Amino acid sequence: MLDDKIDQRRNDHTIVPATEGAPVTTARSVIWDRVVRVFHWSLVASVAVAAVTGFLAGAPWIDVHVWAGVVAAALVVGRTVWGFLGSTHARFADFVASPTVIVAHLRALMAGRAQRHRGHNPLGGVMILTLLAVIAAIVVSGGLVLGGTEKAGPLAFVTTFAVGAAARGVHEVLAFVLIGLIVLHVAGAVFESGRTRENLVRAMVDGRKQIRRGDHLSQEKPARPLFAAGVAGILFIAAAATIAMLSQRPGLGVPVAKVDTFYAAECGACHTTYHPSLLPRASWAALTANLADHFGEDASLDQAATARIADYLAANAAETADTLAANRLRRVDAAKPFTITATPFWRRRHADIADAVFASKAVGGRGNCAACHADAQSGRFYPGNIRIPTEARP
Amino acid sequence: MKLKSVSIALAALVVAATVAVAANPARQAILDGYAAKAGSQPSAARGKAFFFATHSGGKPDATSCTACHGQDPRKGGRTRAGKPIEPMAVSVTPSRFTDAAKVEKWFGRNCKTVLGRACTAVEKADFIAFMAGQ
């Protein structure tokens, strides 16, 4: 208390640069409370998992990626609550500064006389807010991608494929922005560690920093953990309930009708029952017009059966659905208008899969979607439902 | 005494099963129909040779029945698109050759694929006779 008064007085009159402030004691005091520290390293972990699964791992990892995003979102919400109800240096009020103060800090920094802050300095505060905002935006855009293109999650029922595809661009740009911010954030911590001769990374582990004369002083505020837990708890329960409820709604433009049993019996006798939404009307028409020469086999049916199947396919073709498969497979290879495996999208998406996998007994050909896509028959093709049979792996 | 009655019962079962396989009335009618058109007795031996032969005139990817049905009629086969095909042998798949429309449909498609022409009544009768004994 006495030290604080001394500091206060010095603070009022002369500014003591961080490098000159002598430690008041050799003991280090808790600056970052446990909530802040657990939040920080949990966010590091969830962002790392999201980055690895998003940038490097393949599509089947989507569920891990989405859950990493959910955890990051929950952490950001929790940290925001704690920013109002946490201990002194956890509060936004401690580190969110006006532009004037930020510029003044920057000038003092360049002049070599910037004060030492026990919590975040004004520049660090900008970084914290930016990180929280960018992560929140990544989560929201990711939710739109998931809802619009994969027709999963709480936004699937309102998000068109076009919106989801646009959000994907935003999601990816923001992910790169986040990587840049993380680099700056670490660089800032290293710089400030050198400037103030104190290991700030260690401080985020054990929470402790030195108390020095001349430190910028904060207005002490007691943490209100019970209140914060109550607010966060209510927010989490409400959010989880809302997300769970909305996720139950059928996705916008996802075919709901069961695949016609006649079509499934006739065409599914030889191959995977390709969902009618996987090809456009013109392709189905060309296909049904020449069943006598069907991918190197005679698959002819009598006139009535052919007409019935042609009508069914036309009524449920890709133009009637808004799934990823329907949107992308609609662009067929002009030379092979009804060969799904010849479409640019199909080839791109399966480019990394070895020929041996398709040739394996467990798969038995490129056209056998259901060998790996558990939901092939529904036309959904959710990446989380991909399982390449173990015996087919090279 | 006990053993005797068991063996009698077993024998009766075997006979009944054999009769059921051989003499499914629907299959018999289909077979008789083809035989009548052919004007000759069906031959399981000819049917066997037909099944295992390599034919010409059809699509290059499927030049024999075994390409999709496999080398053993009692075991299943696989379509070129990877879908399993139930065994052709009547002893394993008793419903084989009991639906005239279905039989005509598949002879129609597969003969054109493998032989490039429709199969004759002789070939169809022989084929069924062979599979009925398998």
Side-chain angles (χ1 to χ4, degrees), chain B residues 53-80:
Chain B
T54 301
H55 302 276
S56 58
K59 312 277 188 201
D61 292 325
T63 54
S64 75
C65 310
T66 56
C68 293
H69 290 292
Q71 292 293 331
D72 183 352
R74 287 190 196 82
K75 287 185 184 147
R78 205 162 191 209
T79 69
R80 285 170 54 240

Side-chain angles (χ1 to χ4, degrees), chain A residues 164-243:
Chain A
R168 192 189 171 106
V170 174
H171 189 67
E172 285 170 0
V173 166
L174 286 176
F176 282 110
V177 167
L178 180 61
I179 288 175
L181 288 171
I182 291 169
V183 169
L184 279 177
H185 173 57
V186 172
V190 169
F191 170 80
E192 190 72 358
S193 293
R195 188 179 81 89
T196 61
R197 302 183 318 278
E198 186 169 39
N199 186 341
L200 294 188
V201 179
R202 181 185 168 203
M204 192 45 83
V205 174
D206 68 7
R208 291 171 182 274
K209 290 174 85 174
Q210 282 183 341
I211 301 300
R212 296 180 189 169
R213 292 181 199 285
D215 282 346
H216 174 88
L217 284 179
S218 299
Q219 203 186 345
E220 297 284 336
K221 280 270 179 66
R224 304 182 66 187
L226 281 179
F227 188 22
V231 172
I234 290 169
L235 282 176
F236 286 152
I237 290 168
T242 309
I243 289 170

Side-chain angles (χ1 to χ4, degrees), chain A residues 147-159:
Chain A
T149 68
E150 303 300 351
K151 302 295 175 188
L155 301 177
F157 79 104
V158 278
T159 316

Side-chain angles (χ1 to χ4, degrees), chain B residues 24-120:
Chain B
N24 176 305
R27 185 180 312 110
Q28 196 57 51
I30 293 168
L31 184 55
D32 290 347
Y34 287 133
K37 256 193 215 165
S40 64
Q41 277 296 309
S43 157
R46 278 200 312 256
K48 183 179 179 179
F50 179 83
F51 181 75
F52 287 105
T54 301
H55 302 276
S56 58
K59 312 277 188 201
D61 292 325
T63 54
S64 75
C65 310
T66 56
C68 293
H69 290 292
Q71 292 293 331
D72 183 352
R74 287 190 196 82
K75 287 185 184 147
R78 205 162 191 209
T79 69
R80 285 170 54 240
K83 200 97 175 178
I85 305 173
E86 289 197 358
M88 296 305 289
V90 167
S91 63
V92 189
T93 315
S95 61
R96 283 288 181 202
F97 315 108
T98 55
D99 177 339
K102 200 175 162 186
V103 171
E104 264 303 289
K105 178 177 113 181
W106 287 104
F107 270 134
R109 286 174 158 188
N110 295 351
C111 291
K112 271 186 209 140
T113 297
V114 176
L115 302 144
R117 60 166 173 83
C119 285
T120 63

Side-chain angles (χ1 to χ4, degrees), chain A residues 35 39 42-43 46 66-82 132 135-136 139 232-233 235-237 239-240 243:
Chain A
V35 175
F39 156 78
S42 304
L43 192 65
S46 62
V66 168
W67 276 107
V70 169
V71 169
L75 288 167
V76 168
V77 170
R79 181 64 183 89
T80 305
V81 172
W82 199 237
L132 291 176
I135 291 170
V139 169
L235 282 176
F236 286 152
I237 290 168
I243 289 170

Side-chain angles (χ1 to χ4, degrees), chain A residues 13-354:
Chain A
H13 304 293
T14 50
I15 290 180
V16 179
T19 43
E20 288 175 21
V24 174
T25 68
T26 49
R28 294 157 72 242
S29 302
V30 172
I31 296 298
W32 305 123
D33 63 45
R34 195 167 302 214
V35 175
V36 169
R37 284 176 281 149
V38 168
F39 156 78
H40 178 269
W41 296 111
S42 304
L43 192 65
V44 169
S46 62
V47 167
V49 170
V52 168
T53 50
F55 284 114
L56 306 174
W61 288 84
I62 184 158
D63 288 333
V64 178
H65 183 73
V66 168
W67 276 107
V70 169
V71 169
L75 288 167
V76 168
V77 170
R79 181 64 183 89
T80 305
V81 172
W82 199 237
F84 292 104
L85 299 169
S87 66
T88 303
H89 298 291
R91 296 201 180 210
F92 293 124
D94 185 57
F95 59 80
V96 176
S98 68
T100 329
V101 173
I102 295 166
V103 170
H105 176 77
L106 202 59
R107 284 219 176 101
L109 203 59
M110 288 194 287
R113 52 178 175 77
Q115 262 189 308
R116 173 181 180 269
H117 288 68
R118 288 175 196 158
H120 297 297
N121 64 42
L123 269 182
V126 172
M127 176 57 81
I128 303 310
L129 283 192
T130 313
L131 283 168
L132 291 176
V134 168
I135 291 170
I138 289 177
V139 169
V140 171
S141 59
L144 285 168
V145 179
L146 185 71
T149 68
E150 303 300 351
K151 302 295 175 188
L155 301 177
F157 79 104
V158 278
T159 316
T160 62
F161 178 81
V163 167
R168 192 189 171 106
V170 174
H171 189 67
E172 285 170 0
V173 166
L174 286 176
F176 282 110
V177 167
L178 180 61
I179 288 175
L181 288 171
I182 291 169
V183 169
L184 279 177
H185 173 57
V186 172
V190 169
F191 170 80
E192 190 72 358
S193 293
R195 188 179 81 89
T196 61
R197 302 183 318 278
E198 186 169 39
N199 186 341
L200 294 188
V201 179
R202 181 185 168 203
M204 192 45 83
V205 174
D206 68 7
R208 291 171 182 274
K209 290 174 85 174
Q210 282 183 341
I211 301 300
R212 296 180 189 169
R213 292 181 199 285
D215 282 346
H216 174 88
L217 284 179
S218 299
Q219 203 186 345
E220 297 284 336
K221 280 270 179 66
R224 304 182 66 187
L226 281 179
F227 188 22
V231 172
I234 290 169
L235 282 176
F236 286 152
I237 290 168
T242 309
I243 289 170
M245 199 181 69
L246 296 181
S247 299
Q248 294 301 310
R249 295 217 188 171
L252 190 65
V254 175
V256 283
K258 277 216 158 174
V259 173
D260 180 60
T261 51
F262 183 73
Y263 166 73
E266 287 298 341
C267 302
C270 292
H271 51 68
T272 294
T273 307
Y274 299 109
H275 195 273
S277 69
L278 301 186
L279 281 175
R281 275 190 196 104
S283 293
W284 286 129
L287 181 151
T288 46
N290 192 12
L291 284 174
D293 187 7
H294 186 69
F295 295 91
E297 282 184 38
D298 187 307
S300 45
L301 288 163
D302 64 55
Q303 218 172 355
T306 307
R308 183 171 166 185
I309 286 171
D311 288 349
Y312 167 69
L313 292 171
N316 296 276
E319 289 89 338
T320 66
D322 193 38
T323 57
L324 175 69
N327 276 282
R328 290 295 183 237
L329 297 176
R330 215 173 288 178
R331 297 177 201 155
V332 297
D333 177 13
K336 295 178 172 176
F338 47 81
T339 305
I340 294 170
T341 55
T343 57
F345 176 74
W346 193 97
R347 293 158 63 113
R348 208 164 52 240
R349 280 292 168 108
H350 298 82
D352 292 342
I353 297 167

